[in-house]
Amino acid sequence: LLNLKKSLSKLETKVKEIQEELVDILNDDEEMAEFFLSSKSKENQDIYPIESLLEFVEEPFEEIANNILEIKENIDDTQEFITFMANNRRNNIIRLDLIATLVTAVFSFFAVVTGIYGMNVRNNFGGGGESDGFWLIVGSIFVFGLILCLWLWKLIKRKKVL
């Protein structure tokens, strides 16, 4: 879009230059008289046909200038829309990143507890001993993790992050 907008700006500048020259010629009667090819016409100073011809030539340039302005406005609107969509996508990615970070934080807590108690609590998997301590720790981790997840989720909703 930027290249298109630059090209339109260059075209707009050229069209405005041509329009300004045409207006200058139309406003200068001496210059208009110089356009006549015969000396008879120069003497009569009858410049109306040339003036109407130049005005006729000027009309398409005005239309082109108006079309260029309309296209530039459409490009600006498109750029705003693209910016809005990009911001929306970026916000969604940030939300997803926040959720992933929170889940990572909760699981890291599980990893710490597992690291501390994992090798020191007897379980039934090895074929001997009581497993009450193991299941108590696993259940505590699960309940605490669930409570932590729910609390973080409510906090995020209350702060209107998600």
Side-chain angles (χ1 to χ4, degrees):
L1 288 176
L2 184 61
N3 290 336
L4 182 61
K5 196 170 182 179
K6 286 181 181 179
S7 298
L8 280 174
S9 294
K10 289 178 184 177
L11 180 62
E12 181 181 30
T13 303
K14 290 178 182 178
V15 167
K16 284 184 179 183
E17 288 173 357
I18 292 171
Q19 280 182 308
E20 289 173 4
E21 287 298 321
L22 285 173
V23 168
D24 288 345
I25 292 170
L26 286 170
N27 290 338
D28 189 3
D29 289 337
E30 290 177 16
E31 211 170 321
M32 292 286 287
E34 290 177 12
F35 281 109
F36 286 105
L37 298 176
S38 67
S39 60
K40 181 180 177 185
S41 298
K42 281 186 179 179
E43 293 169 5
N44 292 337
Q45 295 296 320
D46 186 17
I47 58 172
Y48 179 73
I50 291 183
E51 188 174 353
S52 63
L53 179 64
L54 288 175
E55 287 174 356
F56 179 75
V57 169
E58 183 186 17
E59 288 176 14
F61 286 103
E62 287 179 24
E63 187 177 329
I64 290 170
N66 291 337
N67 287 342
I68 289 172
L69 288 175
E70 185 178 326
I71 291 171
K72 283 177 110 176
E73 288 174 4
N74 287 342
I75 289 173
D76 289 340
D77 291 343
T78 303
Q79 282 180 324
E80 287 177 19
F81 180 74
I82 290 171
T83 301
F84 172 75
M85 293 299 292
N87 288 342
N88 188 27
R89 182 74 57 149
R90 184 175 41 248
N91 289 342
N92 287 340
I93 291 171
I94 289 171
R95 286 183 187 131
L96 180 63
D97 181 51
L98 177 66
I99 291 170
T101 302
L102 290 175
V103 168
T104 303
V106 169
F107 281 118
S108 66
F109 172 75
F110 294 155
V112 168
V113 173
T114 303
I116 292 171
Y117 291 108
M119 297 301 287
N120 299 323
V121 178
R122 290 187 177 193
N123 59 35
N124 238 0
F125 299 136
E130 295 181 17
S131 63
D132 294 339
F134 174 76
W135 290 114
L136 180 67
I137 292 172
V138 169
S140 299
I141 290 173
F142 179 76
V143 170
F144 184 73
L146 188 62
I147 291 170
L148 184 62
C149 284
L150 292 173
W151 178 75
L152 288 172
W153 185 260
K154 286 182 181 181
L155 179 68
I156 290 170
K157 287 291 190 178
R158 187 176 55 218
K159 296 285 184 178
K160 295 182 181 177
V161 175
L162 295 178

